[in-house]
Amino acid sequence: MDISDQLKNLFPDHIPEEADTPKPEKPDYWLQDAPIICKYEKRKGKPITILEGYNGSAADFKKLAKDLKSFLSVGGSFKNETIIIQGDYRDKIMEFLKQKGFKVKRVGG
């Protein structure tokens, strides 16, 4: 006899509540209809990946930049409505953004 059976014996009129149904997850960031542009450049001989075209709030943009940098374990910055990631990580970044629900467009090579 488990605890639920014992409770039924003690409180026969009690109607047990249904288990909490999982609520749909709220996205971490504001999702937009237009795709984010992911492009590759070389600056001073070093490769960088640039993300442009996100028109959410600055707080969401900074959170997205921080999450990308920690996911890839690389450095980067957030300047002038663009995210700059050190290194060529276009494929990994595009996969990460698609998992989060963004549309991504690859530009260049």
Side-chain angles (χ1 to χ4, degrees), residues 19-88:
D20 291 336
T21 57
K23 296 178 182 176
E25 288 187 29
K26 180 183 173 233
D28 296 336
Y29 321 99
W30 182 79
L31 300 176
Q32 64 185 19
D33 294 332
I36 294 177
I37 297 171
C38 182
K39 62 183 179 178
Y40 168 79
E41 283 186 13
K42 276 193 171 185
R43 292 188 181 170
K44 297 182 183 176
K46 297 183 181 182
I48 61 169
T49 304
I50 299 174
L51 298 171
E52 296 176 331
Y54 183 62
N55 54 10
S57 69
D60 282 346
F61 218 148
K62 288 179 183 178
K63 185 175 184 326
L64 179 61
K66 181 180 178 185
D67 290 347
L68 275 170
K69 291 188 297 184
S70 64
F71 171 72
L72 298 169
S73 301
V74 297
S77 65
F78 163 73
K79 294 180 183 175
N80 302 330
E81 303 298 321
T82 61
I83 297 174
I84 299 171
I85 302 291
Q86 296 174 355
D88 184 10

